[in-house]
Amino acid sequence: MIPSKFQYKRAKSVTDALSMLSNDAKFLAGGHSLLPAMKLRLNQPDTLIDISRIEELKEIKDEGDHIIIGAAATHHDVAYSTIVKEACSMMASGAEQIGDIQVRNAGTIGGSLAHADPAADWPALVIAAEATIRVQGPDGSRDIPAASYFTGFYETALADNEMITEIHVPKLPAGSSSVYVKFVQPASRFAIVGCAVVNNADAGEVGNIKVAITGVSEMAYRAHAVEDELMGQVLSEESIERAAARATDHVDILSDHYASEKYRKHLAQVYVKKALETIK
């Protein structure tokens, strides 16, 4: 449990951090994903670039039709932000369910998204919220829709010479509802199954509904089959039951020592149903 040797550098700005980046360097924010991997020598960077004190990466701002969450904002920052609660309450309540108080106080939204653990909470939340992930590299910045950001098992569309700087989240229209529910692994508090739902319609009606699921497959995914089943429907016991049954349609389901494929499929249906019943 001892990491290999590395150099430590502290960046003063995003530009400064990118100028320090090399092939074997890694950015350090909260460290809750990177440091355990280093202790196990699953990851052996020769340099850590500390970005945790870059103020521009910590800001949470209201930008009119959307909000901006800085990549170095902690889970605690997001959970207790009035701006986030008013714009998309699911993002705040989801952040409050992450880990324990120590993890929430140090871990960051950008670090979680960069790590892309298939059992993490943020992937489902940003997909359901139709957020955009802004990244910056030596050639400038670019925006990646959350729906296309996750590309595989611990894999993302983030290039090796880029860093996440901001997450842009559209504000929900008046009358909308959103929720995140999960079945937790009790020690780590990761999601064995997590479901995020956003419904842009009044209670009991189905509008532009988005359903995203984490923990079930090698990466979080948009549950289009569930959404299709609900299209043109009123949220009722029957319609919710039919929609929840399609939670894992066209998905390769993980199986591990936490949950078998069969159990995960069952949990996915149960937690999609819970989420839809909450916004009913």
Side-chain angles (χ1 to χ4, degrees), residues 119-278:
D121 301 293
W122 281 122
L125 289 162
V126 295
I127 290 173
E130 293 189 316
T132 300
I133 299 167
R134 177 162 293 179
V135 304
Q136 187 167 330
D139 298 323
S141 63
R142 64 187 180 106
D143 293 336
I144 308 172
S148 56
Y149 172 79
F150 303 98
T151 59
F153 192 63
Y154 289 98
E155 294 179 348
T156 72
L158 187 67
D160 290 339
N161 61 352
E162 293 178 322
M163 65 184 293
I164 299 172
T165 57
E166 297 173 344
I167 296 87
H168 292 216
V169 183
K171 289 183 179 179
L172 297 185
S176 299
S177 55
S178 63
V179 67
Y180 178 67
V181 295
K182 69 174 180 177
F183 183 78
V184 300
Q185 200 286 327
S188 68
R189 308 294 296 174
F190 273 102
I192 294 177
V193 169
C195 178
V197 175
V198 173
N199 185 32
N200 295 337
D202 292 330
E205 299 177 355
V206 176
N208 180 19
I209 195 163
K210 280 87 66 176
V211 180
I213 298 173
T214 191
V216 171
S217 191
E218 63 179 11
M219 60 183 181
Y221 62 93
R222 181 92 172 256
H224 292 292
V226 174
E227 298 169 0
D228 293 343
E229 188 65 41
L230 290 170
M231 190 176 298
Q233 303 290 312
V234 174
L235 289 173
S236 64
E237 184 177 341
E238 294 78 15
S239 66
I240 289 173
E241 194 75 41
R242 289 195 305 270
R246 302 191 62 187
T248 57
D249 280 14
H250 316 299
V251 172
D252 293 327
I253 304 172
L254 295 173
S255 180
D256 55 28
H257 59 287
Y258 294 126
S260 67
E261 178 181 340
K262 182 178 180 180
Y263 188 40
R264 266 196 173 85
K265 180 177 181 177
H266 169 71
L267 287 174
Q269 294 174 355
V270 168
Y271 277 80
V272 168
K273 183 178 179 180
K274 281 179 178 288
L276 293 173
E277 287 176 341
T278 301

